[in-house]
Amino acid sequence: MALAKDYDSVMGRSSEIMKKSLGLDFDDFESGSVAFDYEGLMKATGYTIDDVDKIQSKTGVGHTHLMELGNITKLARKYAKPGYGARILVKDEAANASGSFKDRRAACAVAHAKKLGYKGVIAATSGNYGAAVASQAAMQGMKCIIVQECYDSHGVGQPEIVEKARKCEALGAEVIQLTVGPELFYEHLSVMEDSGYFNASLYSPFGIAGVETLGYEIAMDCRELYGKDPEMVVCTQAGGGMVTGTARGLIKAGATDTTVVAASIDLTGLHMASDEQFNKKSCTTGHTGFGVPHATNPDTGDVPRSAARPLRYMDRYVTTTQGEVMYMTEMLANLEGMERGPAGNTSLAAAFALAQELPEDAILVVTETEYTGAGKHIQPQLDFARDNGIEIRFGDPKEDVPGKNIILPANPGLFRVKDMDLNHLRKSLIKRSVPRAGGKKLTAEDIEFLVADTRSDEAFVKSVLDELGVEY
């Protein structure tokens, strides 16, 4: 008998669909309340970090060059107080097979799908991950479907997103393009159910295990080149996988004193699921519209429990602006001869300001670069912004108003970062987690889990629960 394919029916079968599509029963890790066995879920991949490294090496992924940005470092020191201005390094992840760090996630997920006997893989993404999954599927002889949120209701798509669709198709994937809204998750589940393909989710433990090699390599590279661990690592924060995987890799390498900073473009005021506001943003990833929701409510994606849990690992969360990222893209090209895309340049823009807080002998590593192309250059992005009524001018980025203007810094001395209130984000995560208990009294296990998930302590968690009137 054919299954009902209306929205409510498909969403009602989501747990069953996801279980079949991952070969992993998330119920095995549940406690029946707020807590779940996170480390148990990560170990369920069955892969050590050495295993993941071998998988990635087979398809030309990983072991990318760690490059010192000498000219950008010199420029940062011009604006720092005497004796300050850390050496800025970047891991050139654009050298991976499809041009971004997402290949690390995809290599692990696709290899596991092939090992389990799936005929194809599917991923819901409008970003670089689609190209990564398509590339790995092609290399490993598997079929691939990418479900992409691409257009507003007028059929207008952003240049960067449209380009990524073309790249996925060029790599042999079938691309299903959708308008912005709740249909993305529904369509993904529906196609996953019909195809029987493996869910190569960004948020599965296989995907996060793939990023751990990045953090591990950063620590090992710094030790080989400079004889020490980096003082700071800056990760672009969107869905949380970069922060989570990189930090876990650093920990596995023993680099436990390295400060992990998450960085997003501040798009406060723009709603990512709004049809009207969809094309008012000029950067499609690495912004607060993804970064904050995924930090405070990670279990809302295409798996029952997300393995990307960035609040467990970040020491700071800072924001920059669209104008600063676009300026940095030009700076990187003109000063270092590296033409790279916007996602990595988000963390680099933040790093330019953060480096000025650190002494000259400190090492600051930006975790990624990404490929660039026709739709990802700042010129088409700025043209698209003008077409959508966005004012573009040089000035002070603090005057930036998302959806209204893009302020390119009048000079490099105007780069700055704004710290997010981590305790505010932690309180939000606790508030969003409590409903899982279904009104029942929280257990000691639940509190221990929330302490870990917020990287706080028992007193903090209990104080928030008291504010919320939750029993424990």
Side-chain angles (χ1 to χ4, degrees), residues 275-296:
D275 178 55
E276 179 186 352
Q277 297 176 5
F278 181 65
N279 285 328
K280 291 288 186 180
K281 61 186 187 297
S282 299
C283 293
T284 64
T285 187
H287 53 67
T288 53
F290 289 138
V292 172
H294 280 286
T296 59

PDB file of all heavy atoms in Angstrom, residues 275-296:
ATOM      1  N   ASP A 275      10.374  34.806   3.008  1.00  0.00           N
ATOM      2  CA  ASP A 275      10.439  34.933   1.558  1.00  0.00           C
ATOM      3  C   ASP A 275      10.925  36.321   1.156  1.00  0.00           C
ATOM      4  O   ASP A 275      11.778  36.480   0.285  1.00  0.00           O
ATOM      5  CB  ASP A 275       9.045  34.661   0.969  1.00  0.00           C
ATOM      6  CG  ASP A 275       9.012  34.825  -0.537  1.00  0.00           C
ATOM      7  OD1 ASP A 275       9.821  34.169  -1.216  1.00  0.00           O
ATOM      8  OD2 ASP A 275       8.181  35.605  -1.034  1.00  0.00           O
ATOM      9  N   GLU A 276      10.423  37.337   1.832  1.00  0.00           N
ATOM     10  CA  GLU A 276      10.782  38.717   1.502  1.00  0.00           C
ATOM     11  C   GLU A 276      12.244  39.013   1.841  1.00  0.00           C
ATOM     12  O   GLU A 276      12.932  39.726   1.106  1.00  0.00           O
ATOM     13  CB  GLU A 276       9.879  39.691   2.255  1.00  0.00           C
ATOM     14  CG  GLU A 276      10.195  41.156   1.989  1.00  0.00           C
ATOM     15  CD  GLU A 276       9.379  42.110   2.852  1.00  0.00           C
ATOM     16  OE1 GLU A 276       8.460  41.647   3.555  1.00  0.00           O
ATOM     17  OE2 GLU A 276       9.677  43.309   2.829  1.00  0.00           O
ATOM     18  N   GLN A 277      12.729  38.462   2.959  1.00  0.00           N
ATOM     19  CA  GLN A 277      14.072  38.781   3.426  1.00  0.00           C
ATOM     20  C   GLN A 277      15.149  37.827   2.908  1.00  0.00           C
ATOM     21  O   GLN A 277      16.339  38.067   3.107  1.00  0.00           O
ATOM     22  CB  GLN A 277      14.086  38.799   4.955  1.00  0.00           C
ATOM     23  CG  GLN A 277      13.191  39.878   5.547  1.00  0.00           C
ATOM     24  CD  GLN A 277      13.136  39.829   7.065  1.00  0.00           C
ATOM     25  OE1 GLN A 277      13.832  39.057   7.710  1.00  0.00           O
ATOM     26  NE2 GLN A 277      12.278  40.646   7.648  1.00  0.00           N
ATOM     27  N   PHE A 278      14.737  36.745   2.237  1.00  0.00           N
ATOM     28  CA  PHE A 278      15.669  35.716   1.772  1.00  0.00           C
ATOM     29  C   PHE A 278      16.801  36.319   0.944  1.00  0.00           C
ATOM     30  O   PHE A 278      17.972  35.968   1.111  1.00  0.00           O
ATOM     31  CB  PHE A 278      14.913  34.665   0.958  1.00  0.00           C
ATOM     32  CG  PHE A 278      15.770  33.536   0.444  1.00  0.00           C
ATOM     33  CD1 PHE A 278      16.375  32.648   1.323  1.00  0.00           C
ATOM     34  CD2 PHE A 278      15.967  33.355  -0.921  1.00  0.00           C
ATOM     35  CE1 PHE A 278      17.150  31.599   0.852  1.00  0.00           C
ATOM     36  CE2 PHE A 278      16.742  32.312  -1.390  1.00  0.00           C
ATOM     37  CZ  PHE A 278      17.339  31.434  -0.500  1.00  0.00           C
ATOM     38  N   ASN A 279      16.470  37.230   0.044  1.00  0.00           N
ATOM     39  CA  ASN A 279      17.475  37.820  -0.838  1.00  0.00           C
ATOM     40  C   ASN A 279      17.983  39.175  -0.356  1.00  0.00           C
ATOM     41  O   ASN A 279      18.676  39.876  -1.093  1.00  0.00           O
ATOM     42  CB  ASN A 279      16.919  37.948  -2.256  1.00  0.00           C
ATOM     43  CG  ASN A 279      16.875  36.611  -2.974  1.00  0.00           C
ATOM     44  OD1 ASN A 279      17.714  35.754  -2.732  1.00  0.00           O
ATOM     45  ND2 ASN A 279      15.895  36.419  -3.841  1.00  0.00           N
ATOM     46  N   LYS A 280      17.660  39.538   0.894  1.00  0.00           N
ATOM     47  CA  LYS A 280      18.198  40.769   1.469  1.00  0.00           C
ATOM     48  C   LYS A 280      19.582  40.548   2.075  1.00  0.00           C
ATOM     49  O   LYS A 280      20.288  41.498   2.387  1.00  0.00           O
ATOM     50  CB  LYS A 280      17.254  41.310   2.552  1.00  0.00           C
ATOM     51  CG  LYS A 280      15.929  41.848   2.019  1.00  0.00           C
ATOM     52  CD  LYS A 280      16.111  43.162   1.282  1.00  0.00           C
ATOM     53  CE  LYS A 280      14.779  43.758   0.888  1.00  0.00           C
ATOM     54  NZ  LYS A 280      14.961  45.052   0.154  1.00  0.00           N
ATOM     55  N   LYS A 281      19.941  39.295   2.245  1.00  0.00           N
ATOM     56  CA  LYS A 281      21.282  39.003   2.749  1.00  0.00           C
ATOM     57  C   LYS A 281      22.204  38.780   1.553  1.00  0.00           C
ATOM     58  O   LYS A 281      21.781  38.290   0.513  1.00  0.00           O
ATOM     59  CB  LYS A 281      21.267  37.779   3.662  1.00  0.00           C
ATOM     60  CG  LYS A 281      20.812  36.475   3.000  1.00  0.00           C
ATOM     61  CD  LYS A 281      20.692  35.365   4.012  1.00  0.00           C
ATOM     62  CE  LYS A 281      20.403  34.020   3.362  1.00  0.00           C
ATOM     63  NZ  LYS A 281      19.120  33.960   2.651  1.00  0.00           N
ATOM     64  N   SER A 282      23.446  39.155   1.712  1.00  0.00           N
ATOM     65  CA  SER A 282      24.409  39.020   0.622  1.00  0.00           C
ATOM     66  C   SER A 282      25.480  37.987   0.916  1.00  0.00           C
ATOM     67  O   SER A 282      26.385  37.799   0.116  1.00  0.00           O
ATOM     68  CB  SER A 282      25.049  40.381   0.327  1.00  0.00           C
ATOM     69  OG  SER A 282      24.064  41.306  -0.080  1.00  0.00           O
ATOM     70  N   CYS A 283      25.402  37.327   2.053  1.00  0.00           N
ATOM     71  CA  CYS A 283      26.259  36.190   2.383  1.00  0.00           C
ATOM     72  C   CYS A 283      25.333  35.045   2.760  1.00  0.00           C
ATOM     73  O   CYS A 283      24.444  35.220   3.599  1.00  0.00           O
ATOM     74  CB  CYS A 283      27.211  36.529   3.521  1.00  0.00           C
ATOM     75  SG  CYS A 283      28.444  37.766   3.090  1.00  0.00           S
ATOM     76  N   THR A 284      25.525  33.903   2.144  1.00  0.00           N
ATOM     77  CA  THR A 284      24.530  32.839   2.281  1.00  0.00           C
ATOM     78  C   THR A 284      24.833  31.833   3.380  1.00  0.00           C
ATOM     79  O   THR A 284      24.021  30.956   3.640  1.00  0.00           O
ATOM     80  CB  THR A 284      24.373  32.084   0.947  1.00  0.00           C
ATOM     81  OG1 THR A 284      25.606  31.418   0.629  1.00  0.00           O
ATOM     82  CG2 THR A 284      24.020  33.031  -0.180  1.00  0.00           C
ATOM     83  N   THR A 285      25.982  31.923   4.003  1.00  0.00           N
ATOM     84  CA  THR A 285      26.292  31.004   5.085  1.00  0.00           C
ATOM     85  C   THR A 285      27.211  31.699   6.070  1.00  0.00           C
ATOM     86  O   THR A 285      27.643  32.829   5.837  1.00  0.00           O
ATOM     87  CB  THR A 285      26.946  29.713   4.554  1.00  0.00           C
ATOM     88  OG1 THR A 285      27.074  28.768   5.623  1.00  0.00           O
ATOM     89  CG2 THR A 285      28.325  29.985   3.959  1.00  0.00           C
ATOM     90  N   GLY A 286      27.483  31.058   7.186  1.00  0.00           N
ATOM     91  CA  GLY A 286      28.386  31.647   8.161  1.00  0.00           C
ATOM     92  C   GLY A 286      27.833  32.884   8.826  1.00  0.00           C
ATOM     93  O   GLY A 286      28.585  33.735   9.287  1.00  0.00           O
ATOM     94  N   HIS A 287      26.507  32.998   8.892  1.00  0.00           N
ATOM     95  CA  HIS A 287      25.902  34.179   9.512  1.00  0.00           C
ATOM     96  C   HIS A 287      25.055  33.783  10.711  1.00  0.00           C
ATOM     97  O   HIS A 287      24.779  32.599  10.940  1.00  0.00           O
ATOM     98  CB  HIS A 287      25.094  34.985   8.498  1.00  0.00           C
ATOM     99  CG  HIS A 287      24.080  34.181   7.738  1.00  0.00           C
ATOM    100  ND1 HIS A 287      22.967  33.619   8.341  1.00  0.00           N
ATOM    101  CD2 HIS A 287      24.005  33.844   6.424  1.00  0.00           C
ATOM    102  CE1 HIS A 287      22.255  32.980   7.429  1.00  0.00           C
ATOM    103  NE2 HIS A 287      22.860  33.087   6.261  1.00  0.00           N
ATOM    104  N   THR A 288      24.640  34.782  11.470  1.00  0.00           N
ATOM    105  CA  THR A 288      23.904  34.514  12.704  1.00  0.00           C
ATOM    106  C   THR A 288      22.549  33.871  12.458  1.00  0.00           C
ATOM    107  O   THR A 288      21.993  33.235  13.355  1.00  0.00           O
ATOM    108  CB  THR A 288      23.710  35.811  13.511  1.00  0.00           C
ATOM    109  OG1 THR A 288      23.111  36.811  12.657  1.00  0.00           O
ATOM    110  CG2 THR A 288      25.043  36.333  14.032  1.00  0.00           C
ATOM    111  N   GLY A 289      22.011  34.023  11.243  1.00  0.00           N
ATOM    112  CA  GLY A 289      20.729  33.390  10.933  1.00  0.00           C
ATOM    113  C   GLY A 289      20.791  31.878  10.996  1.00  0.00           C
ATOM    114  O   GLY A 289      19.780  31.217  11.230  1.00  0.00           O
ATOM    115  N   PHE A 290      21.972  31.321  10.766  1.00  0.00           N
ATOM    116  CA  PHE A 290      22.213  29.895  10.988  1.00  0.00           C
ATOM    117  C   PHE A 290      22.943  29.679  12.313  1.00  0.00           C
ATOM    118  O   PHE A 290      22.638  28.764  13.073  1.00  0.00           O
ATOM    119  CB  PHE A 290      23.075  29.304   9.860  1.00  0.00           C
ATOM    120  CG  PHE A 290      22.370  29.177   8.542  1.00  0.00           C
ATOM    121  CD1 PHE A 290      23.026  29.504   7.365  1.00  0.00           C
ATOM    122  CD2 PHE A 290      21.064  28.739   8.462  1.00  0.00           C
ATOM    123  CE1 PHE A 290      22.393  29.392   6.142  1.00  0.00           C
ATOM    124  CE2 PHE A 290      20.423  28.618   7.247  1.00  0.00           C
ATOM    125  CZ  PHE A 290      21.091  28.946   6.071  1.00  0.00           C
ATOM    126  N   GLY A 291      23.946  30.512  12.563  1.00  0.00           N
ATOM    127  CA  GLY A 291      24.856  30.281  13.676  1.00  0.00           C
ATOM    128  C   GLY A 291      24.206  30.261  15.036  1.00  0.00           C
ATOM    129  O   GLY A 291      24.505  29.401  15.863  1.00  0.00           O
ATOM    130  N   VAL A 292      23.294  31.214  15.285  1.00  0.00           N
ATOM    131  CA  VAL A 292      22.655  31.278  16.600  1.00  0.00           C
ATOM    132  C   VAL A 292      21.628  30.150  16.792  1.00  0.00           C
ATOM    133  O   VAL A 292      21.668  29.446  17.809  1.00  0.00           O
ATOM    134  CB  VAL A 292      22.028  32.668  16.845  1.00  0.00           C
ATOM    135  CG1 VAL A 292      21.197  32.678  18.122  1.00  0.00           C
ATOM    136  CG2 VAL A 292      23.124  33.726  16.909  1.00  0.00           C
ATOM    137  N   PRO A 293      20.692  29.927  15.846  1.00  0.00           N
ATOM    138  CA  PRO A 293      19.742  28.821  16.036  1.00  0.00           C
ATOM    139  C   PRO A 293      20.405  27.455  16.194  1.00  0.00           C
ATOM    140  O   PRO A 293      19.979  26.640  17.019  1.00  0.00           O
ATOM    141  CB  PRO A 293      18.884  28.871  14.768  1.00  0.00           C
ATOM    142  CG  PRO A 293      18.977  30.280  14.299  1.00  0.00           C
ATOM    143  CD  PRO A 293      20.372  30.716  14.644  1.00  0.00           C
ATOM    144  N   HIS A 294      21.464  27.204  15.428  1.00  0.00           N
ATOM    145  CA  HIS A 294      22.126  25.902  15.528  1.00  0.00           C
ATOM    146  C   HIS A 294      22.941  25.775  16.808  1.00  0.00           C
ATOM    147  O   HIS A 294      23.186  24.663  17.277  1.00  0.00           O
ATOM    148  CB  HIS A 294      23.003  25.656  14.304  1.00  0.00           C
ATOM    149  CG  HIS A 294      22.245  25.202  13.103  1.00  0.00           C
ATOM    150  ND1 HIS A 294      21.735  23.924  12.975  1.00  0.00           N
ATOM    151  CD2 HIS A 294      21.882  25.854  11.973  1.00  0.00           C
ATOM    152  CE1 HIS A 294      21.105  23.806  11.823  1.00  0.00           C
ATOM    153  NE2 HIS A 294      21.165  24.965  11.190  1.00  0.00           N
ATOM    154  N   ALA A 295      23.355  26.896  17.386  1.00  0.00           N
ATOM    155  CA  ALA A 295      24.062  26.839  18.671  1.00  0.00           C
ATOM    156  C   ALA A 295      23.096  26.599  19.822  1.00  0.00           C
ATOM    157  O   ALA A 295      23.389  25.842  20.747  1.00  0.00           O
ATOM    158  CB  ALA A 295      24.850  28.132  18.897  1.00  0.00           C
ATOM    159  N   THR A 296      21.930  27.240  19.777  1.00  0.00           N
ATOM    160  CA  THR A 296      20.998  27.198  20.905  1.00  0.00           C
ATOM    161  C   THR A 296      19.934  26.115  20.794  1.00  0.00           C
ATOM    162  O   THR A 296      19.270  25.804  21.772  1.00  0.00           O
ATOM    163  CB  THR A 296      20.294  28.554  21.057  1.00  0.00           C
ATOM    164  OG1 THR A 296      19.578  28.862  19.854  1.00  0.00           O
ATOM    165  CG2 THR A 296      21.304  29.663  21.333  1.00  0.00           C
TER     166      THR A 296
END
